[in-house]
Every structure is written in structure tokens, then in C-alpha cells.
Amino acid sequence: MVVNLARYGSLRHSGYDDIDSIKTNQGLEVEELGATGYSTPTVEEGPVENGGGESKTELVRGLSQRCISFIALGGVIGSGLFIGTGTALSAGPGSALIAYSIVSVIIYFTMTSLGELATYLPIPGSFNAYGTRFVDPAFGFALSWNYWLNWVSTVAYEAGAVAIPISYWLPHVNFAVWGISLMVIVVTINCITVRGYGEAEFWFALIKIMAICMFIIVAIIVAAGGLGGHHYGFEMWRYKQAPFVGGFGGVLNTFIQAGFSMQGSELVGVVAAESQRPAKLIPRATRQIVFRLAIFFVLSVFLMGLIIPYDDPQLISMNSGNDSSVISPFTIVFLKAGIAPAAHIMNAVMVTSSISACSSGLYAACRTVHVMAMQGHAPKILGRTTRRGVPLFALLFCAAVTLGLWAFNFVGQGIVFVFLTGVSGVAGYLAWASICVVHIRFRMAWKRQGHELEELRYRAPLYPFGPVFCFVLICVVIFGQAYPSFQNGFDKITFFSSFLELPLFALLWVGWKRWKRTKVVALATMDLDSGARGGLTLEEEDDMLAEPSKMGFKALALKVVAGILG
């Protein structure tokens, strides 16, 4: 029997959701990769002998639509928003607002490009697989490892950041205790079945979304003078060097933090793309992304900038290190409102947020390396799974690397925080730029092979302006980091954290290309058919789109809440 994976609901992030096992002694075989890309995987259940007895292979599909919806809503929200925005505000409220607004535009065009690709080709591996298929197998190899490094760096950052809200209560406990405890918790969560993981992420995401909505309401009231006894207005925009501290260099320097805070947005498209109804879910997710980012990030940063002075000593900065006196901008706003209990609640939310973001990041990292192992881009042992479908070796490998990166928090005063933010932020920008490149290559091949645009169920608006503008802007942001690095003398931390990822990406690309002697995929021979529409014909896709919605009260209520929140 051949089972098309694309018809089995939602696959999380950039890998298979959970296949019972890929070991041949359990009877599971996965199609080999072709020379030009990642073909749609099939799982074959055959008469493979296992100790003389019959073997059975079961596919684990544990993530429900309810879990997927809220993971998508809350997956991007982590310490980058709750804590890292303090670093962005230190460059002034105007710099932070411009950076987060422009990054939102970048993400919108990136998502429309990914949306078009994923609607037509909802294959496991998402844009990592598209890089192999539409550009060059060596490019896909470099992109996959870049994306993996992005997530292990993010998890290491989260493991260090969790100490900040906890130190608000327990300032005399060594921060290392909280980092190790967090890693134990998230590894345990990822070791359980995918259904258990999905349920945990659902509740974590719901808590984060409700907390941000509460913060926005309180911040508006505080800024207007309704709480705290002070009417702020735009007072902080005229405070000392505000709104642009450090001028043009300050604005550029804020882009890395903004990109780091908002990375993971592409996972919304990946989750939707690997669902049972890509033609319906992906366009919807793409339309919602700007509204969601505007509410959760841009509006939050704008309100913080109205209330908190950019030089507030409690804001985290690169010189904060492990100082227990620094707290989240969210907590500062509640304290200025005179609502101390709410500040404690927000601190608790940030702890659960770190657990959630760390768990999601570790999940994404281990699934990414798991898929790479199946592609032959990583050691085969990382592709093995337990009977419950958990890629345990990949999980332990990612956890070990994360702990190694996190351990560098003991070095210097805040240096590693800045370094991890820079590496992960640039890696995220490279992933977004790669999506634009892949989309342009796809459209060029689509035209070359005589296809019409009407054949695409969803088409990215403003093409080719969108991906070209996005790619150019990302290049300006990345290479623009050289300006603040030399603005006031040579800042080696900013420079190396911003540019280390570029030669590493090039080394992976060129090294794999030379070793495997790969070639750029020709437009005329590019595979545009394997896995198209998740294996559905146009008629079957039309039937699924026309299928009436049947849901109970609970599902309807959750759908309404999800629509309100983004």
C-alpha cells in the first residue's frame, strides 16, 4: 500500500510530523531524492521481515487542527518580544517602530511568496526542499543547515532569557539553574507523543495571546493617563536624543533585533502548507499575517515607546549581562500603571512563553535535522525515531548543541545574548531571502515550461515587485550592519555577530557543491509536477474547497477566537 503523506493533515515545521519509524526493519521505506529536488514522499508498507514475524507500520498524525491554529498564532511570540524589545527600545522609540514596521513588510512579501509555493507544492521540508528543487541541491543543503542553526541559536537565547523574569522574584539564585531547568522541561515535552506536544503548545500559545491583548489594553490606558497618574502622549519621543538614538546607525542596528523577534513567522505558512487543505488554509494564513504582526509586535513596540524612556536602567541591553535588576518592558509598563499583581502575572506569562518558544524551537530544529538525515544531508542516525514517532537522536543532538551555545552565557557580560541574537537574526533573514529567490526561480520555470498563471490556485500579489523588493531590502539590512559596527570605533561584537553567518552559509553551499558536484537546476527541466497540490487533481481540490463546513460548538468558538486574534 502506498500512502501519500500530503493527505494526512498537518505536518509541523519543516519535517515529517511523526512517522512511526524510518528503520527498514519496521517496514517503512521513503522514496529517494532525485537529482533535482525533494520529490513528494510516499510511505510504503511492504512485507519486510522482522525477526521472522510480520511487521506493521503506522503513521502518527497527532496534531489536531485546533492545536495547529493556536501554534500558528502563538509560535512567533517568545522572549524576542517579551524581553528583546528592550534592546530595540534602547535605540529610541522611532528606531524601534521603523525597524519593526519594515520587517513586517518584509515578512508579508515573504509569506505571499511562500504561500504561492506551498499552495501548489505542499511538500515536507517546505522552503528548504524548494531550495534543492528550484535552485541547486547545494543551496538546499546550506539553507537547511542555516535554518537548523537559526533554531538552536534561538533555543539557546530562550534558555538564557528565562532567567530574567524569574530573577524578578529570586534575584539571588544563579541564572544557570533556570537555564538547565528549562532545557530539562522542553526536552521532556518533546520526548512525549506529538499529540501531547501539540496540546501543551496549544495552551502555552493561548496564554501568550491573552497576555499580549491584556498588555495592549493597559498600555493604551497608561499612555492616555488613565492609569499611573501621568499622561505620556509623545513625551518619550522628545526625551533627550529620542526618537532616533544613534541616528541612522541606531535604526540599522535595531533591524537585527526586530528580525530575531519576529522570526518564526514563516512557520505559519509551513504549518498551513503541510495541512490537508493547502488551497484553502494557505491564502487565509497569508492574508492574516500582516494584521497579526501589526497587533502583536508593531503596536506593542509603539506603546512601549510612548511610556518607557529609551535609557531606562531596567531595560535589557548588551551591557546588562546577567544583571537581575533588568526586567521586561511589559513588566515595566504594568509597574508604571501601578498594577503590581499584574506585573507578577506578566512575569509568569514570560516564563511559560520561554518554555513554549524553547519547546517550539527545539521541535523545529530536531524535525529539520531529521528531514535532512532522510535526505542524506545529515548522519543517518539522526533520522531514526522511537515507536511513538519521536526522532530521539535528532532531539538529543539538538539539545546538546543548544546547551553548548547556552553555556557561553558564562562568558562576558551580555556578549552571548547579543551574539546569539545576531547569528539567529541574520540566519532568519537569510531564510526569508532564500524564499524570495526560490519564488522567482519557480515563476521563471513556470513561464519557461509554458504554464499559465491561471493554473495557480493562489498567486502572490505584486509579483515580481514583492520578492525583488524583499530581497533587496534584506541585503540592505544585513550589509548595513557594517555601518553601526564602525560608527563609533570598531564594535567587534556587533560586527562578528552580524556577519559570521554569511561566510558560514557560503562555506556550506560551496563545500557541498564541490563535494557532490551539484549543478544549478535548469529552468526547462525543473520538476514542477511531483507533489503538486498535495497529490490532488484540480477536480479533487475543487471538491475539498466546496465541501460544507461542519463543526460543533467548541470548534466554532475556537474558530471565532482565532479569527479575532489574527
Side-chain angles (χ1 to χ4, degrees):
M1 179 178 72
V2 177
V3 184
N4 189 334
L5 294 183
R7 301 188 184 214
Y8 272 79
S10 299
L11 308 178
R12 174 77 162 134
H13 299 316
S14 58
Y16 298 100
D17 183 15
D18 275 302
I19 300 175
D20 188 52
S21 177
I22 66 164
K23 292 181 289 187
T24 55
N25 63 0
Q26 289 184 337
L28 183 67
E29 298 177 0
V30 181
E31 277 188 335
E32 295 289 336
L33 282 173
T36 59
Y38 199 173
S39 61
T40 302
T42 59
V43 176
E44 298 184 3
E45 185 177 355
V48 179
E49 296 181 3
N50 185 8
E54 249 182 69
S55 64
K56 293 183 179 180
T57 301
E58 297 178 357
L59 297 179
V60 179
R61 292 291 176 266
L63 290 180
S64 65
Q65 287 297 321
R66 171 173 62 91
C67 294
I68 289 295
S69 297
F70 278 82
I71 287 172
L73 283 170
V76 72
I77 304 170
S79 295
L81 173 62
F82 287 118
I83 297 174
T85 44
T87 302
L89 286 175
S90 64
S95 299
L97 183 61
I98 288 176
Y100 278 83
S101 299
I102 292 179
V103 172
S104 296
V105 175
I106 290 174
I107 292 175
Y108 170 71
F109 284 119
T110 302
M111 283 298 302
T112 56
S113 292
L114 180 60
E116 180 179 306
L117 291 165
T119 301
Y120 181 71
L121 288 169
I123 59 177
S126 188
F127 56 88
N128 299 323
Y130 299 146
T132 297
R133 189 163 171 172
F134 299 144
V135 182
D136 185 342
F139 180 77
F141 173 82
L143 182 57
S144 296
W145 278 108
N146 170 79
Y147 199 58
W148 170 83
L149 179 60
N150 176 27
W151 280 113
V152 293
S153 300
T154 300
V155 175
Y157 176 92
E158 295 288 347
V162 72
I164 294 176
I166 298 179
S167 294
Y168 181 73
W169 300 310
L170 302 169
H172 302 298
V173 179
N174 192 299
F175 85 104
V177 173
W178 311 124
I180 294 174
S181 300
L182 175 67
M183 288 304 300
V184 171
I185 292 171
V186 298
V187 170
T188 302
I189 290 174
N190 277 269
C191 280
I192 61 180
T193 62
V194 70
R195 183 179 297 276
Y197 164 81
E199 288 295 326
E201 282 300 296
F202 165 75
W203 293 109
F204 283 143
L206 184 60
I207 291 170
K208 289 189 288 186
I209 291 167
M210 292 176 64
I212 293 177
C213 291
M214 181 177 68
F215 165 80
I216 289 173
I217 294 171
V218 171
I220 291 173
I221 298 173
V222 172
L227 287 172
H230 183 81
H231 182 271
Y232 288 92
F234 281 86
E235 176 184 336
M236 294 305 163
W237 281 61
R238 299 184 296 271
Y239 175 74
K240 294 184 180 179
Q241 301 178 46
F244 303 106
V245 180
F248 181 64
V251 176
L252 279 176
N253 210 19
T254 307
F255 273 98
I256 293 297
Q257 177 62 49
F260 170 77
S261 299
M262 302 173 79
Q263 70 176 345
S265 306
E266 72 282 351
L267 293 179
V268 178
V270 173
V271 171
E274 295 175 339
S275 67
Q276 199 169 19
R277 299 184 180 186
K280 183 175 183 180
L281 294 181
I282 298 171
R284 180 188 300 170
T286 302
R287 286 191 296 266
Q288 292 174 344
I289 190 66
V290 171
F291 174 75
R292 186 180 306 135
L293 292 174
I295 292 295
F296 291 158
F297 286 89
V298 179
L299 181 57
S300 294
V301 169
F302 172 70
L303 292 172
M304 291 175 196
L306 293 179
I307 300 170
I308 305 173
Y310 70 85
D311 60 353
D312 191 311
Q314 291 182 306
L315 284 177
I316 186 171
S317 67
M318 68 174 292
N319 298 316
S320 299
N322 304 315
D323 186 356
S324 61
S325 66
V326 298
I327 55 179
S328 163
F330 284 74
T331 304
I332 293 175
V333 169
F334 280 108
L335 291 176
K336 287 182 177 291
I339 313 175
H344 288 286
I345 294 173
M346 182 57 68
N347 253 29
V349 169
M350 284 187 288
V351 174
T352 61
S353 173
S354 289
I355 296 173
S356 171
C358 205
S359 179
S360 293
L362 194 60
Y363 186 100
C366 74
R367 261 54 179 193
T368 298
V369 78
H370 174 68
V371 170
M372 286 193 292
M374 299 176 69
Q375 292 178 296
H377 291 170
K380 291 183 179 180
I381 192 172
L382 299 179
R384 296 183 181 179
T385 63
T386 66
R387 290 184 177 180
R388 293 188 175 186
V390 177
L392 185 60
F393 290 103
L395 175 62
L396 295 178
F397 169 70
C398 294
V401 174
T402 298
L403 280 172
L405 293 174
W406 167 84
F408 282 106
N409 275 288
F410 293 99
V411 179
Q413 290 293 314
I415 292 177
V416 173
F417 250 53
V418 177
F419 191 79
L420 289 177
T421 302
V423 170
S424 186
V426 173
Y429 277 122
L430 284 175
W432 295 340
S434 299
I435 292 172
C436 298
V437 171
V438 168
H439 183 210
I440 293 171
R441 290 274 300 171
F442 170 77
R443 277 292 193 99
M444 291 171 65
W446 189 261
K447 183 178 180 180
R448 174 70 64 85
Q449 297 185 24
H451 291 282
E452 300 293 336
L453 290 180
E454 288 71 23
E455 298 176 52
L456 297 173
R457 183 69 70 180
Y458 171 76
R459 296 185 292 276
L462 299 181
Y463 180 89
F465 170 79
V468 172
F469 170 77
C470 190
F471 181 81
V472 171
L473 197 55
I474 289 173
C475 291
V476 171
V477 168
I478 293 178
F479 291 103
Q481 297 308 303
Y483 181 81
S485 298
F486 292 94
Q487 189 176 15
N488 298 309
F490 180 57
D491 184 348
K492 58 181 179 297
I493 301 301
T494 301
F495 182 83
F496 285 109
S497 64
S498 300
F499 290 101
L500 176 64
E501 183 63 15
L502 296 180
L504 180 59
F505 184 87
L507 181 63
L508 289 170
W509 186 357
V510 175
W512 191 260
K513 188 175 184 65
R514 278 181 164 271
W515 187 23
K516 295 293 185 179
R517 300 186 182 277
T518 64
K519 296 181 180 180
V520 175
V521 181
L523 297 178
T525 59
M526 191 178 292
D527 181 11
L528 301 178
D529 299 320
S530 299
R533 303 184 181 88
L536 299 175
T537 64
L538 277 170
E539 292 74 16
E540 290 173 327
E541 198 174 63
D542 288 335
D543 291 340
M544 295 187 74
L545 289 173
E547 188 176 300
S549 173
K550 296 179 181 179
M551 59 178 69
F553 174 78
K554 183 178 179 181
L556 179 61
L558 288 171
K559 183 177 181 180
V560 171
V561 172
I564 294 174
L565 296 178

